[in-house]
Amino acid sequence: MQHALSGTATPTATPAASAVWWPATRLLLGLTLLLGLGYPLAVTGLAQWLFPAQAQGSLLQQQGRTAGSALIGQAFSKPGEFWGRPSATASTPYNGAGSGGSNLGPANPALAKAVAERIAALKAAGPLPAGPVPADLVTASASGLDPHISLAAALYQVPRVAAARQLDAGKLAQLVRQQAEQAWFGSDATARVNVLQLNLALARS
Amino acid sequence: MMLQFYSLLGLFMLLLTLSVRPMGAWLAPLAAGQLPARWQTLDSALLRVAGIRDTGMGWRQYALAVLVFNLLGALLLYALQRLQGVLPFNPQGMGAVEAGSAFNTAISFVANTNWQGYAGESTMSYFTQMAGLAVQNFLSAATGIAVAFALMRGFTRRESADLGNFWADVLRVSVYLLLPLSLLLALVFVQQGVPQTLAAYSDYTALAGHAQTLALGPVASQEAIKLLGTNGGGFFNANSAHPFENPTELTNLLQMLAIFLIPAGLTHAFGRLAGDRRQGWALYAAMSVIFIACAIGVMAAESQGNPLLAALGVDGSSGNWEGKEVRFGMAASSLFITVTTAASCGAVNAMHDSLTALGGMLPMWLMQLGEVVFGGVGSGLYGMLVFAVLAVFVAGLMVGRTPEYLGKKIEAFDMKMVALVILTTPALVLAGTAASVLLPPGLAGLANPGAHGFSEVLYAFSSAANNNGSAFAGLSANTAYYNALLGIAMWLGRFAIIVPVLALAGSLAAKKTLATTNGSMPTHGGLFIGLLVGSVLLVGALTYLPALALGPVAEHLMIWAR
């Protein structure tokens, strides 16, 4: 390896220990102050000044108190509400302090069992349209906090919600379509609905 | 759905390609160690404040500085986790992180892996996240870039023993590159809905009628550098699948671009330093070819859905939804999965453990290729340059000429270092996987039965040793066994690579640069790109196909044979 370090003057071959440990310590502590305190505190200050609502978690107020976040799903379960996706968060569904997915593999019998149970629960809760069940409605999301369902999954629940609320199914479907957001480069097949916003719109109507 | 995917992929590649030149122009003076004149007053002031003299280091000295700096970083991060209970910015009153987990996490973040055995929102105080984890997000990225700079200098300097000054490199990369980019990106993230607060978690009764506690924190500032530094360690357990880390399609696109931004720009900086920009574009092209092919493969697999669920009456036409978020769907999830594993980022916007068998195999294989398809910041470029040396060596053997790359004659010492770099990680991955499926504490962690359980272990060691950090997260890895073994794999996968890379850099810098002749093989054209892609794929395929056959391939056959 003698050719790796030729005899030029600048680099010293065997640095004294202090020549390494001292600059390393000083640089580490200095950059910890700058990047670990200065930077996040500066971003916090700017964020609270420029975008205070988002910086605090996009919280929604209902009758003067916090009732959720516009970005975080909730465990709706009444027949007269639109349901979100199954949630695999720690200890309880839609636990906002314990995000996570099921991590079940595609061939795991536990996945098929859970999906079959969810289909049964949907059938037990009220009338359903004919045809296959939208996949996102019976599979757990990645975060367990997914605020959306597909447009298909929302329309699939219209007969149940309409029956429970004694509403006209056609008008309810129209309300659902008004709430739909298109995905980039997408079509109706990839459109989605924010479940909390949909239920809020339902309560207002 | 495929049309939606191709449109998104096209937009992504267009924006990325447009970023390559400006990023290269930003990086090249830092890599050359020669800042433009108008920056020099500021620069000398910065170095003076930091107490650094920008004197040249030989490769041994540079390597020693890397090791000492990162060892100290790991010790500090360990101490912060253990002491967080008595430190400030801890509104949730998080206690000390358990010793084994703190050891694993300290190595993980220093080694730019960001493998996470813990759940952020129930483990780490805001202080640990900001002053511990996020600082290493910056510094591990800066370390990788500095080592890439050293290797670039090795190729482009003549008869020199000077690879530059590690302290000055880390400082300049952190302050001139990572800090301004992070600041800008963090503010865009907040505007889109990523929280940035020091207040405690929010407790309320949700509209749905149940109590909900919402984890918050200084998320945006950490999120920005998590992606720009190809770190990937999430503020929350669900990482970039969490609506607070990645709330919209726009943030998802920006996250993917942020992951590739610096690795792609470094290829161009390399071309500029080499005095021939085509050299950089050749590397960019080779990386892009493998990336695009794998992205299409993941999308094809995921949009197929799961036939076992279709048999229960589930609509299979919309794809495999378990572990995915609706706002991303199949297209933006598949693209993110490919980006995060092609680069050694490891942030996830879908749960990889629930991917289809083949949709999970491709990200695993991208990691196993050595994280050279864009790869980690810095580590992707130095890894790819090592493969480039291998490619010219193989080509040289075929025609019976002494191999050269950029006018540097490739000799026995250089090839020994190349072999060390290429063989170390597969040895770690395969030995670690084999040990874990033989030993009871290894098997105790499996979450899924059958071939998929084997895939969980193979994925874990592929991710750790290649410094990616994503997981088949069903594996219960927060145990004494996995914390220790994966911690060692991450450390060696990082620093047992960096030392031979620096030795190669030192050896190359000391050589003469030969003039290009008719007999030299051009390293900027299609032939070389093909050779380079071939070398990467061949090494990856030969090393890992037997192991992949036992895991995802077997699983795929079982699912579709019924």
Side-chain angles (χ1 to χ4, degrees), chain B residues 5-274:
Chain B
F5 172 75
Y6 286 123
S7 308
L8 187 65
L9 176 63
L11 174 68
F12 175 75
M13 286 310 297
L14 174 72
L15 293 175
L16 181 70
T17 307
L18 288 175
S19 79
V20 168
R21 278 175 59 111
M23 280 308 295
W26 192 345
L27 284 158
L30 294 169
Q34 287 163 338
L35 296 184
R38 62 181 184 279
W39 284 90
Q40 271 169 6
T41 323
L42 173 73
D43 187 55
S44 42
L46 181 73
L47 291 185
R48 204 164 45 245
V49 170
I52 290 168
R53 281 188 307 140
D54 185 8
T55 49
M57 293 178 172
W59 79 261
R60 287 188 186 80
Q61 211 180 342
Y62 206 96
L64 184 67
V66 170
L67 292 176
V68 167
F69 185 66
N70 283 281
L71 182 67
L72 285 177
L75 290 173
L76 178 64
L77 183 50
Y78 180 84
L80 286 175
Q81 293 178 79
R82 298 290 286 157
L83 297 173
Q84 69 176 7
V86 296
L87 291 169
F89 298 113
N90 188 9
Q92 296 310 118
M94 302 288 185
V97 180
E98 185 268 321
S101 176
F103 163 83
N104 181 280
T105 305
I107 289 181
S108 175
F109 276 70
V110 165
N112 199 252
T113 310
N114 305 53
W115 171 269
Q116 296 174 290
Y118 62 92
E121 61 265 56
S122 56
T123 311
M124 298 296 178
S125 76
Y126 293 170
F127 191 77
T128 308
Q129 298 262 28
M130 292 191 298
L133 302 176
V135 166
Q136 281 306 325
N137 281 357
F138 278 101
L139 299 184
S140 65
T143 296
I145 296 171
V147 172
F149 284 177
L151 184 58
M152 286 155 76
R153 291 167 191 151
F155 276 110
T156 51
R157 290 183 179 175
R158 295 163 190 205
E159 297 175 78
S160 165
D162 175 5
L163 291 181
N165 184 288
F166 177 70
W167 316 122
D169 286 338
V170 165
L171 184 65
R172 286 176 180 142
V173 167
S174 300
V175 176
Y176 302 150
L177 178 73
L178 300 175
L179 184 58
L181 279 173
S182 300
L183 197 60
L184 185 69
L185 192 60
L187 289 174
V188 177
F189 283 164
V190 179
Q191 193 277 332
Q192 288 287 304
V194 180
Q196 179 74 23
T197 174
L198 298 170
Y201 295 178
S202 184
D203 290 295
Y204 51 81
T205 305
L207 203 77
H210 57 89
Q212 195 169 42
T213 298
L214 210 48
L216 297 165
V219 186
S221 56
Q222 188 152 337
E223 199 64 19
I225 187 61
K226 166 187 121 178
L227 303 152
L228 286 164
T230 62
N231 299 284
F235 196 94
F236 303 115
N237 186 46
N239 208 300
S240 280
H242 196 297
F244 275 168
E245 289 203 29
N246 193 3
T248 62
E249 285 173 282
L250 177 64
T251 56
N252 194 63
L253 179 71
L254 292 174
Q255 297 208 350
M256 294 189 292
L257 284 169
I259 294 171
F260 273 4
L261 188 69
I262 294 173
L266 277 169
T267 62
H268 191 65
F270 174 70
R272 282 177 175 244
L273 250 66

Side-chain angles (χ1 to χ4, degrees), chain B residues 313-332:
Chain B
V314 174
D315 179 11
S317 72
S318 64
N320 171 36
W321 274 101
E322 183 72 23
K324 289 197 184 64
E325 298 280 296
V326 171
R327 65 191 176 285
F328 306 134
M330 294 304 127

Side-chain angles (χ1 to χ4, degrees), chain A residues 74-193:
Chain A
Q74 302 185 359
F76 292 101
S77 57
K78 298 189 191 82
E81 294 170 331
F82 285 92
W83 299 355
R85 301 186 61 194
S87 163
T89 52
S91 60
T92 56
Y94 287 94
N95 177 359
S99 62
S102 73
N103 287 311
L104 294 175
N108 193 328
L111 174 64
K113 183 165 170 279
V115 168
E117 284 168 7
R118 289 165 190 154
I119 294 174
L122 276 171
K123 283 185 176 153
L128 294 173
V133 187
D136 60 303
L137 194 58
V138 289
T139 50
S141 63
S143 66
L145 303 171
D146 195 340
H148 295 105
I149 51 177
S150 66
L151 175 60
L155 291 172
Y156 191 75
Q157 301 182 58
V158 162
R160 185 195 73 228
V161 177
R165 291 193 170 238
Q166 292 167 339
L167 292 170
D168 176 58
K171 281 195 180 137
L172 188 57
Q174 211 176 359
L175 179 78
V176 169
R177 286 187 184 279
Q178 280 166 8
Q179 292 286 322
E181 306 163 26
Q182 289 293 328
W184 288 4
F185 311 113
S187 61
D188 263 12
T190 49
R192 60 180 176 264
V193 175

Side-chain angles (χ1 to χ4, degrees), chain B residues 5 8-10 12-13 16 256 259-260 284-298 334-343 362 365-366 369 372-375 384 533 537:
Chain B
F5 172 75
L8 187 65
L9 176 63
F12 175 75
M13 286 310 297
L16 181 70
M256 294 189 292
I259 294 171
F260 273 4
Y284 179 74
M287 292 174 173
S288 299
V289 165
I290 303 177
F291 164 71
I292 290 171
C294 287
I296 293 170
V298 172
S334 297
L335 193 56
F336 196 107
I337 289 161
T338 317
V339 168
T340 196
T341 49
L362 284 168
W365 192 54
L366 275 168
L369 293 181
V372 296
V373 181
F374 296 99
M384 198 52 147
V533 170
L537 295 186

